[in-house]
Amino acid sequence: MLAARPCQRSYASIRRVVAAPVTRPGQPGPPTPRCIVRRSTTATSKDGGNGFVHWYESHLKTRPVLTKMVSGGFLWGIGDVVAQVVPALFDDDEHDANKKKSEFGYDAPRTARAVIFGSFLHAPLSHLHFNFLEFMTVKGGFQPGSLKIPLFKTVMEQFVYWSWFSNSLYHGAMGAMQGMDAGQIQKRVKDVLWDTQVAQWKFWLPIQFLNFQFVPVRHQLNVVLLTSVVWTALLSAWYPPEDDHQAEEEAEKEA
């Protein structure tokens, strides 16, 4: 669509300018030249397609922690939904699968716990973690582009401190939100932490090495959050939160 406007700036589109006639001294000047601008439909559609990306980038720059908290809560919730639904749909034994489908009941409080953990604990702490790793590589004098950077970050994250802390926090927070006492939480973490660590190393080591190598720091948590849909589903399926009846039985056994 054609639109006439003053030539105040240039556009990355097809322009057609009506040239003003040459004037001699003493003659009145011509009117302000006007541009007839035809905006490219390709450029318009491209801008529309990148609308969400630009919107997210702007929020990531102005409110990084809050943006990651919203993203984290949403994606952790999706992961828990997948963890609840998929095992009920697929099973090796046809009889058990039919039994699971008939008895399946969606646990909304469980998903709410995953959303709370992903939003208020995992996302802000992960934001600090990724920036801390970047700080250490800068202070350590690592050359940009060197493979030492992703290798150092992967080792620090997976073997030194972060994976142990985040997995303990996950199991502890899930137990606390279910009403477990300190002793029950400690027992739960002790029982499942090592198996969780082994599973984490198998799943996350190659992903995080590539993440640290090719993804900018501000988006590294986004990669983790997207991949965590699968990881959360695995965690929830392997170590599902115990229901109240199971917690009572454990308390009675300990008593």
Side-chain angles (χ1 to χ4, degrees), residues 129 133 150-165 167 194 197-198 200-202 204-206 212:
H129 160 64
L133 287 180
L151 181 61
F152 171 79
K153 289 184 176 182
T154 303
V155 170
M156 289 294 296
E157 179 186 77
Q158 296 297 316
F159 297 105
V160 177
Y161 77 98
W162 177 249
S163 65
W164 302 94
F165 169 75
N167 288 329
W194 177 252
Q197 285 296 122
V198 174
Q200 163 136 348
W201 294 328
K202 294 177 181 178
W204 283 107
L205 278 173
F212 290 133

Side-chain angles (χ1 to χ4, degrees), residues 13 15 36 42 45 58 62 82 111 124-125 143 145-148 169 178 198 205 210 223 227 239 253:
S13 56
R15 297 187 305 168
I36 300 177
T42 303
S45 61
S58 64
T62 57
V82 172
T111 301
L125 292 175
Q143 293 297 324
S146 171
L147 287 177
K148 292 181 180 180
L169 181 65
Q178 287 181 278
V198 174
L205 278 173
L210 296 175
V223 173
T227 314
Y239 310 106
K253 289 179 182 178

